[in-house]
Amino acid sequence: VTAWNLVSSPGSGKTTLLCATIAALRERAPQRPVAVIEGDQQTTHDADRIRATGAPAIQVNTGRGCHLDAPMVAAAFERLPQHESGGLLFIENVGNLVCPAMWDLGEAGKIAILSVTEGEDKPLKYPDMFAAARLMVLTKTDLLPHLDFDLPRCIDFARRVNPAIEVLLVSARTGVGMDAWLDWLQLEEAVPCA
Ligand code: MG
Ligand code: ZN
C-alpha cells in the first residue's frame, strides 16, 4: 500500500480534494483500492464525506492532540478492509502546519496543501512543513481572479525553504489541474522516499 500524508492548515480543502481525487481515480484505475484515514480533533464529518464517495474511511479523533502519530495510523489501518491488496492510502492529517511536519506515519511522502485564500507567505512562516513536503498543492485556484494572492511569490517562498519541492495548481471544484495531480501521484509512487 502506498500512503500519502496530506498536511495543511484547517480549511485548505484537503477533504474536498480527496473526494474529487477518489472520483477521478475511479475513472482512471477502477480496480485500484483507495482508502482514507482522517485525522481531526473531533467529529466524523470528514470520514462521512469520504464514505459518501464509496471509499472506505476511518476517522481518528485526536481529542486534545494536534497531529496523527504512527500507532494511531497503524490502528486505523488494521480496521480498513483493503490492506495487503496494493492499494492507495491517503492520510488526511489534523489541520495544523506545525507539528505534523515532525511525525513519520510510514508515508511515501508528505504533501502540503495550501489554498490560495491563505497568505502566500505560509511557506516562510511554517518552513518545517514545506521543507518536509515533496509536493505543494495550491488549491482553490478558481478563486485566483478574485484574490490578491501572489502566485510566483508563494512558489518562490516555498522553494526558498525547499528547493526540491514540486508545485501543482488544482481546483477540485472546476477540475482544472486534477489530471496533473493524478499523474504526479502515479509517477511519484515509483520514486523511493528521500
Ligand atoms: Mg478535512
Ligand atoms: Zn501536534
Side-chain angles (χ1 to χ4, degrees):
V1 172
T2 299
W4 297 105
N5 182 2
L6 273 60
V7 290
S8 79
S9 45
S12 63
K14 292 185 295 304
T15 314
T16 299
L17 177 65
L18 281 178
C19 290
T21 302
I22 290 162
L25 282 170
R26 192 164 290 140
E27 307 255 304
R28 206 183 259 222
Q31 307 303 323
R32 184 122 199 241
V34 180
V36 179
I37 293 172
E38 283 288 343
D40 281 299
Q41 283 194 309
Q42 298 293 347
T43 83
T44 59
H45 292 179
D46 284 0
D48 294 342
R49 286 173 66 193
I50 297 294
R51 284 187 205 114
T53 70
I58 302 289
Q59 182 80 48
V60 178
N61 284 141
T62 55
R64 293 205 169 132
C66 45
H67 56 264
L68 293 173
D69 62 26
M72 288 176 202
V73 171
F77 187 70
E78 285 300 313
R79 291 164 57 205
L80 280 170
Q82 59 113 58
H83 61 286
E84 309 203 43
S85 46
L88 258 185
L89 174 69
F90 292 101
I91 303 164
E92 182 181 331
N93 219 311
V94 178
N96 170 1
L97 277 175
V98 186
C99 53
M102 297 178 289
W103 298 84
D104 185 342
L105 307 182
E107 71 264 3
K110 289 184 175 68
I111 298 173
I113 313 289
L114 178 61
S115 64
V116 296
T117 53
E118 301 175 59
E120 62 254 330
D121 56 352
K122 281 262 175 81
L124 289 186
K125 286 180 172 171
Y126 302 97
D128 291 348
M129 186 59 83
F130 292 85
R134 274 164 75 166
L135 171 70
M136 172 171 78
V137 181
L138 292 165
T139 56
K140 310 190 191 182
T141 54
D142 52 297
L143 293 173
L144 278 171
H146 310 285
L147 302 169
D148 297 323
F149 188 85
D150 189 334
L151 195 57
R153 203 166 141 87
C154 181
I155 295 169
D156 174 55
F157 287 157
R159 297 227 159 104
R160 270 196 230 175
V161 300
N162 180 355
I165 199 166
E166 293 182 74
V167 181
L168 289 175
L169 277 64
V170 172
S171 167
R173 196 174 187 182
T174 64
V176 172
M178 286 297 294
D179 276 336
W181 157 240
L182 295 191
D183 290 346
W184 188 92
L185 289 171
Q186 208 172 350
L187 278 173
E188 287 302 303
E189 205 176 319
V191 179
C193 308

